[in-house]
């Protein structure tokens, strides 16, 4: 019975998706958003009570993002607060289910949907674009930090944070350009590099597992390398990359095997 109920919840999301495509006039797009969250919550509750595994709830949660995207795209007026809250709630719920089931791959699977949701959100100002992207990005950064040692040796929580960094960079870079902040564009990859370094420090304190550590450290280094040509020019690029190479040489023997 639990399987049938979760299946019904998943198909209800499909019905909501079909409705969100044509429900253009206010307030119906904003009705679709809490409706899809409610259906996902129902799938989670039924899944937990029936002990049938996380696949049904995860499917309902991922489809919830699709419903939210459709509602935001087809609304006659742009949605911001309610749309952002819907994506955030669905993302957090997905990560909770992933952590509870220890199937952290679900966190990775949800990244493309939140990225697409951010790119297709009809934000009206660069500030709204940055806020939308930053809130969802922060969720994936906090996931491995909050899990800590409970992640055990899983790679996926950190992989989700790394994957989420890529669309965040491009979305915020465009927003900074629209806001006339091209002159300080290097701040963005430097800030993302610092965020990755926070994850590196967390990994070193938990258990220095080389694969995860190398992946996150390489991402931090990649953003730092990207910042140099974005912000500097001419001979300063060579000088900055030389200093960066010296820093990597100093750090390499200090990374545990």
């Amino acid at each position: 019975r639990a399987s049938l109920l979760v299946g019904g919840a998943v198909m209800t999301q499909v019905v909501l998706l079909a409705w969100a495509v044509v429900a253009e006039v206010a307030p119906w797009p904003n009705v679709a958003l809490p409706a899809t969250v409610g259906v996902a919550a129902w799938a989670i509750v039924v899944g937990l009570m029936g002990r049938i595994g996380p696949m049904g709830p995860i499917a309902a949660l991922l489809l919830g993002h699709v419903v939210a995207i459709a509602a935001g795209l087809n609304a006659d007026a742009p949605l911001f607060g309610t749309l952002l809250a819907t994506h955030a709630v669905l993302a957090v719920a997905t990560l909770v289910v992933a952590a509870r089931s220890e199937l952290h791959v679900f966190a990775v699977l949800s990244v493309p949907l939140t990225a697409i949701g951010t790119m297709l959100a009809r934000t009206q100002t660069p500030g709204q674009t940055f806020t939308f992207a930053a809130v969802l990005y922060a969720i994936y950064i906090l996931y491995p930090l909050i899990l800590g040692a409970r992640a055990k040796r899983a790679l996926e929580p950190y992989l989700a944070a790394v994957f989420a960094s890529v669309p965040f960079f491009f979305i915020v870079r465009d927003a900074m350009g629209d806001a006339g902040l091209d002159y300080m564009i290097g701040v963005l990859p430097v800030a993302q590099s610092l965020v990755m370094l926070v994850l590196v420090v967390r990994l070193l304190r938990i258990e220095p597992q080389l694969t995860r550590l190398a992946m996150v450290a390489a991402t931090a280094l990649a953003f730092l390398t990207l910042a140099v040509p974005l912000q500097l020019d001419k001979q300063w690029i060579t000088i900055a990359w030389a200093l960066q190479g010296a820093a990597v040489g100093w750090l390499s023997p200090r990374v545990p095997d």
Side-chain angles (χ1 to χ4, degrees):
R1 292 179 182 178
S3 300
L4 291 174
L5 289 172
V6 172
V10 170
M11 293 311 298
T12 301
Q13 294 287 47
V14 175
V15 174
L16 278 175
L17 173 60
W19 180 62
V21 170
V22 296
E24 302 174 354
V25 181
W28 302 117
N30 272 323
V31 172
L33 299 178
T36 195
V37 171
V39 172
W42 168 249
I44 293 172
V45 172
V46 172
L48 292 176
M49 291 176 59
R51 298 180 180 179
I52 61 171
M55 295 303 297
I58 286 294
L61 286 163
L62 297 182
L63 281 170
H65 284 292
V66 181
V67 174
I69 291 169
L73 279 176
N74 293 287
D76 57 356
L79 307 179
F80 176 67
T82 53
L83 184 62
L84 173 56
T86 300
H87 281 299
V89 168
L90 291 171
V92 170
T94 301
L95 299 184
V96 170
V97 174
R100 183 182 177 90
S101 63
E102 296 187 354
L103 295 173
H104 302 290
V105 68
F106 295 142
V108 179
L109 293 177
S110 70
V111 170
L113 287 171
T114 54
I116 293 170
T118 304
M119 289 186 287
L120 296 181
R122 294 154 58 197
T123 50
Q124 297 177 290
T125 65
Q128 285 189 350
T129 302
F130 174 78
T131 302
F132 208 108
V135 169
L136 297 178
Y137 180 47
I139 291 171
Y140 292 103
I141 296 299
L142 290 172
Y143 182 52
L145 291 175
I146 293 173
L147 274 179
R150 288 176 294 172
K152 300 177 182 177
R153 299 178 68 86
L155 177 68
E156 291 85 357
Y158 296 89
L159 187 60
V162 169
F163 281 177
S165 299
V166 177
F168 176 79
F169 170 79
F170 288 104
I171 292 167
V172 175
R173 184 197 62 177
D174 291 343
M176 291 180 70
D178 294 339
L181 299 175
D182 292 304
Y183 67 92
M184 54 180 296
I185 195 67
V187 171
L188 173 59
V190 169
Q192 288 190 266
S193 178
L194 293 175
V195 169
M196 291 295 110
L197 287 176
V198 171
L199 294 181
V200 169
V201 172
R202 181 65 160 165
L203 279 170
L204 288 172
R205 290 180 177 176
I206 298 171
E207 181 185 355
Q209 201 262 345
L210 187 57
T211 302
R212 295 187 304 191
L213 188 60
M215 178 187 68
V216 179
T219 304
L221 183 61
F223 279 120
L224 194 58
T225 303
L226 182 61
V228 173
L230 284 177
Q231 191 64 47
L232 303 177
D233 57 7
K234 299 180 181 178
Q235 68 272 19
W236 292 109
I237 295 178
T238 304
I239 293 171
W241 275 339
L243 291 173
Q244 182 181 355
V248 172
W250 174 85
L251 181 63
S252 295
R254 291 164 175 80
V255 175
D257 295 328

